[in-house]
């Protein structure tokens, strides 16, 4: 049985993350391991500083003791909140028909914990933005970018609201990451009823290598019994993909992350980051 690692926090994305994980779990016949991390960077213990020249030593000891007590109280509250989130997440998954779940509450840096656990996961699911997100800035969650950089597993970036997935767009460039994305779908029998569109967008005319790369992808999907429409579209890749997502009612964007091409730099690239910020559908990333 496959395994999905669900990264859960207290953001407005929490329910959607659970619902996206449930959809994939049911399609992949996978179990779901819920994870909540109490981030030690946000709750570092109070450090004693040498203020003896500014304040009496007895007063300083008293104040430091109060700060330590407050740290302990915040830590206990964070643990309680984490357990509540995990319980709520398991309830959502159960209601969505996911039979097998586990829950883990860890302390540490989110990226380190996720990286440690990712070796046992076939898919990682997390929200586009975290608890401290400033929606006005439109920035992606800081942990999202760190996790995608650190792990070698597929990572699903959940949209704010869940919508059942019927139409999938693979942004394909023929590179290693994009080929992994094609293979992932081809090896997932639960995706056979989906309407899949594979697009190779390039701002240059297609040459023999591009045609060959497209033929490989088309063959992989067809051999697996998936219904896929494959095509080459000339144009600036980000604009082409963004336009198709909007015009064709795409529910899920699948693509590589990182690499030298403009498509695979979607997360960290300067102009392409704007695309994923504005994308309101889930994005499945491969490295």
């Amino acid at each position: 049985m496959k395994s999905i690692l669900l990264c859960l926090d207290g953001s407005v994305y929490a329910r959607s993350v659970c619902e996206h994980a449930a959809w994939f779990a049911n399609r992949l016949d996978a179990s779901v391991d819920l994870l909540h991390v109490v981030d030690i960077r946000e709750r570092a213990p109070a450090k004693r500083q040498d203020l003896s020249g500014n304040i009496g030593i007895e007063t300083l000891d008293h104040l430091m003791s109060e700060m330590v007590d407050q740290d302990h109280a915040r830590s206990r509250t964070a643990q309680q909140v984490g357990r509540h989130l995990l319980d709520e997440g398991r309830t959502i998954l159960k209601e969505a028909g996911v039979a097998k779940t586990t829950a883990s509450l860890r302390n540490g840096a989110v990226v380190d914990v996720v990286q440690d656990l990712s070796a046992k996961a076939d898919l990682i699911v997390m929200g586009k933005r975290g608890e401290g997100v400033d929606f006005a800035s439109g920035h992606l969650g800081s942990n999202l970018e760190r996790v995608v950089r650190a792990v070698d597993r597929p990572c699903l970036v959940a949209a704010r609201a869940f919508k059942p997935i019927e139409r999938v767009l693979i942004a394909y460039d023929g590179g290693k990451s994009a080929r992994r994305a094609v293979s992932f779908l081809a090896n997932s029998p639960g995706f056979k009823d989906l309407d899949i569109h594979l697009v190779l967008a390039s701002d240059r005319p297609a040459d023999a290598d591009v045609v060959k790369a497209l033929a490989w992808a088309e063959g992989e999907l067809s051999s697996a019994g998936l219904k896929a429409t494959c095509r080459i579209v000339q144009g600036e890749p980000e604009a082409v993909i963004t336009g198709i997502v909007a015009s064709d009612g795409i529910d899920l964007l699948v693509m590589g992350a990182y690499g030298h091409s403009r498509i695979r730099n979607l997360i960290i690239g300067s102009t392409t980051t704007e695309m994923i910020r504005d994308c309101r559908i889930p994005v499945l990333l491969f490295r």
Side-chain angles (χ1 to χ4, degrees), residues 229-277:
T229 302
C230 303
R231 54 183 163 145
I232 298 171
V233 178
Q234 186 171 354
E236 193 270 333
E238 289 89 352
V240 168
I241 298 303
T242 302
I244 294 175
V245 167
S247 64
D248 290 17
I250 300 298
D251 303 309
L252 172 67
L253 175 62
V254 180
M255 61 191 304
Y258 302 105
H260 299 295
S261 78
R262 300 177 73 179
I263 286 295
R264 282 183 288 167
N265 279 328
L266 183 61
I267 285 291
I268 60 173
S270 56
T271 57
T272 51
T273 298
E274 296 178 7
M275 189 168 110
I276 198 167
R277 283 181 192 155

Side-chain angles (χ1 to χ4, degrees), residues 130-230:
E131 296 176 1
V133 66
D134 178 3
F135 281 94
S137 73
H139 290 161
L140 303 178
S142 59
N143 284 319
L144 167 64
E145 296 194 30
R146 293 191 184 103
V147 168
V148 173
R149 290 171 185 266
V151 302
D152 62 356
R153 294 292 191 264
C155 185
L156 177 73
V157 182
R160 186 167 179 174
F162 172 75
K163 175 187 174 186
I165 295 168
E166 298 177 355
R167 311 192 79 183
V168 177
L169 172 62
I170 305 174
Y172 182 72
D173 63 3
K176 183 178 179 181
S177 300
R179 291 167 71 97
R180 287 187 64 191
V182 171
S183 296
F184 180 88
L185 294 183
N187 293 320
S188 303
F191 294 161
K192 284 187 176 179
D193 63 331
L194 300 180
D195 184 11
I196 297 176
H197 298 255
L198 185 145
V199 172
L200 198 162
S202 174
D203 48 14
R204 295 179 297 178
D207 56 21
D209 290 339
V210 169
V211 173
K212 182 178 179 181
L214 186 75
W216 176 87
E218 191 169 16
E220 285 289 298
L221 296 172
S222 177
S223 297
L226 273 68
K227 298 176 292 184
T229 302
C230 303

Side-chain angles (χ1 to χ4, degrees), residues 86-98:
L86 292 170
D87 289 343
E88 289 291 311
R90 295 186 82 170
T91 298
I92 293 171
L93 290 166
K94 183 178 180 181
E95 291 174 350
V98 180

Side-chain angles (χ1 to χ4, degrees), residues 38-53:
V38 177
D39 197 326
I40 57 174
R41 297 172 306 167
E42 299 172 358
R43 296 177 174 83
K47 295 181 179 179
R48 180 165 180 157
Q49 301 179 24
D50 183 8
L51 301 174
S52 56

